[in-house]
Each structure stands twice: as structure tokens, then as C-alpha cells.
Amino acid sequence: MSGLSVRDIGHRVVVRHRIPGGLTDVIGVLQSWSPDSLVVRHADSGLHEVRAGDVTAAKTIPEMPLRPVDVEQLFLTTALGRPAVETSYVGQWLLRASSGWTGRGNSLLPAGDPGMPVAEALKHAEAFYDERGLPPLALVRLGSPEEAGFRACGWIDARPGQSDVLVMHTTLDHVNASPAYDVLIEEHPGPDWYAAAFDGPVPEPAPTVMEGAPKAVFASITLDGRAVAVGRGSMTGHWLGADAIRVDPSYRRRGLGTALLQGLARWAGPLGGRRTYLEVLEENTAAVTTYRNLGYRSAYRYRYLTRA
């Protein structure tokens, strides 16, 4: 088949082929290839099969360039994709509490206008967390006006020994290839999913947080009779959020994490997914390298601050 082979599966291609009345092009990710036909997957996960005899020209093409990301929108989108057990507001700032489980579930997200001076808004936030027996935390984008305002009010790093968290993004097209493993996508996670996602007992707030988004699914890969890799996907607008990616240590370096992301991308495409994000500690160099190889790029960094 002119220009393509089985080695090109997973890459973006353009295929010119005959249709009744003339020629047309189909552009997308090469899903499958055989001497008789090929299948191209669009960014919306629609499949287009073309018979070999109809192909007049075919070749690989560069990946789609990333458009500039709206950081303010993405900052809020990450919170909506994984809502906390309890939420409240100070103006447009979001207060989140989840019995202390995870920083994201128990921190102030300063997105938008608090409707009052920063120092006064922070006192409302402190009272919210004091009432729940939780340390006041704020998730702030590094280099943002909010970070400067919080530090001017005496707030300091809550986790000085931890690296920054990278929020990375790419277009769904970059991770739309066919997974190398069978990825099971379920609307509700079972005991096997939670057993693979956590070491030991599942924290009490975890199911409420993980299953609380309006559109969320749970991906898993089973090998040797048990789930050895799991992940979670959520849809907020056209954004697919991928989190809780975890691979059993004895099964790492086999491409299981990549397969999970590809499986989630294929779920999100038909729902209108166009872009995808994830969060990872900058010090987790192996994961960061994997994500960069898939086309993810840094949108911003954040840290947790707390009152002195």
C-alpha cells in the first residue's frame, strides 16, 4: 500500500483514495494496516476504513501543533474534573474539603475574583479549614498574582521538601493511537480497580472524590489474572482529565501507562474530547518523560501554600 506500512500504526497520516465521483483525503491516526485495507482514526475517534485498491497516495505527516492553552480556564477545569467531597466559595474562589485526603481535595483554589481584599478572603478560608480540623492549604500557580498576594500575607510553602507539580496538556490526537493492551473502561470501579489503585485500605473519602465527577470512567489492564494498571478519566467541556494512573511496580516499563492514556483518549473522543491534561510531580522524571514522548507539554506549575 503506497507510502505506509504496519510500522506506521499510531502515527498521523493522510490517505488519498477514490470515492464515487472523484478523490478525497482522510487525515488522522493510522489505527490498523494490512495488505488489503487500512483504518484511520479521526480526533473524534471516528473510524474510516479504506480498501487498498482505492488508495492513490498515503504518507505520514507531522503531529498537530499545540495551540496556546488558556491557563486560567485549565486551572479551574482541573478542579471540576475531580470535585471534592465538600465545597464552598469566597467570591469565585473555591474552598474544598475531603476529610484530609489529597491536597487537591482539601485546598483553596484561587480562581477568579474573591470579591474582597486578599487578606480578608484568606481569613474566610482559614476559618473554613479550622472548622473542619484541617490545615489551611491553597493550591497556587507559580508566578501568578495570587501567589504573590498570598506570600505578602505571610503564607509559606506547605511542602518545602516536595517538587513542583506540573500540569501538562496536549491535543487528544496525540494520544489517539490503538493501545498495545486491552484497556477495560468502566463507569463504576470495582474492588479490583481500588485494590490496584491503593496500597492497603482505601481511604474513606476516596470513592466519593473519584466517582464524584459528572462524567468519569475507570480504566484497567488485566494481566496474569489481575488488574496491574489502572487510571481514571473525566470529561469537563472538551477536556479529558487523566489521573490516578498507577502501574504495579513489577509490571512497569512495559507501556501500560501509555496504553491507559490511549484507552481513555478513545473513550473521550466520541464525547467531544479535543484536549487532555494530567498532573505529575516534576521529580517523577520517568512519568514526565513518558508524557512528553506522548506529546504532553507543560501548561503551568503549582505548589501548596499554608499560613505561617
Side-chain angles (χ1 to χ4, degrees):
M1 193 174 298
S2 175
L4 297 178
S5 71
V6 68
R7 292 175 298 181
D8 297 313
I9 291 175
H11 294 278
R12 279 176 51 80
V13 298
V14 56
V15 179
R16 177 160 292 184
H17 60 284
R18 299 182 185 89
I19 58 172
L23 297 173
T24 189
D25 292 337
V26 59
I27 299 175
V29 175
L30 185 63
Q31 174 79 13
S32 65
W33 181 97
S34 76
D36 300 319
S37 66
L38 56 79
V39 176
V40 176
R41 178 181 293 276
H42 273 314
D44 63 359
S45 289
L47 297 178
H48 295 262
E49 184 174 4
V50 182
R51 294 189 305 112
D54 292 332
V55 176
T56 62
K59 64 179 182 179
T60 59
I61 57 176
E63 295 177 346
M64 290 181 64
L66 283 181
R67 300 189 308 275
V69 64
D70 185 334
V71 172
E72 294 285 349
Q73 179 200 57
L74 181 56
F75 188 55
L76 181 58
T77 296
T78 61
L80 299 177
R82 186 166 157 169
V85 173
E86 182 184 1
T87 59
S88 185
Y89 287 90
V90 176
Q92 294 177 325
W93 285 7
L94 179 63
L95 297 166
R96 302 173 292 183
S98 302
S99 300
W101 183 67
T102 79
R104 279 181 284 178
N106 296 272
S107 58
L108 161 66
L109 191 87
D113 184 357
M116 62 187 75
V118 170
E120 184 179 346
L122 288 179
K123 290 190 180 299
H124 283 279
E126 291 174 9
F128 175 85
Y129 291 107
D130 287 343
E131 289 170 2
R132 289 154 183 80
L134 298 171
L137 282 180
L139 188 162
V140 297
R141 289 186 293 115
L142 296 184
S144 66
E146 289 76 21
E147 181 195 11
F150 283 34
R151 292 189 184 277
C153 291
W155 282 50
I156 61 175
D157 287 349
R159 301 172 181 179
Q162 186 182 85
S163 69
D164 300 335
V165 179
L166 285 176
V167 177
M168 307 182 75
H169 73 106
T170 189
T171 61
L172 212 63
D173 182 72
H174 285 191
V175 288
N176 202 24
S178 179
Y181 300 87
D182 290 332
V183 180
L184 177 64
I185 302 291
E186 299 179 291
E187 291 186 359
H188 302 286
D192 291 344
W193 190 93
Y194 278 113
F198 293 93
D199 289 325
V202 178
E204 183 179 349
T208 302
V209 172
M210 304 296 275
E211 301 176 44
K215 288 184 181 179
V217 292
F218 301 83
S220 62
I221 297 173
T222 298
L223 296 176
D224 302 324
R226 65 187 182 92
V228 297
V230 295
R232 174 184 176 274
S234 61
M235 283 292 296
T236 304
H238 66 271
W239 282 99
L240 163 67
D243 68 319
I245 303 294
R246 189 171 190 272
V247 178
D248 186 294
S250 59
Y251 288 83
R252 290 174 182 167
R253 300 186 181 277
R254 301 189 190 184
L256 294 173
T258 294
L260 288 170
L261 290 170
Q262 291 168 336
L264 290 170
R266 296 178 70 181
W267 163 75
L271 298 178
R274 292 294 179 269
R275 309 186 80 165
T276 174
Y277 69 87
L278 51 78
E279 302 182 16
V280 58
L281 283 171
E282 193 170 18
E283 64 192 16
N284 189 348
T285 55
V288 171
T289 299
T290 295
Y291 300 147
R292 291 197 183 281
N293 289 340
L294 278 170
Y296 283 88
R297 296 295 180 264
S298 299
Y300 61 88
R301 291 171 166 80
Y302 73 74
R303 294 189 69 84
Y304 292 102
L305 301 184
T306 189
R307 65 183 172 195

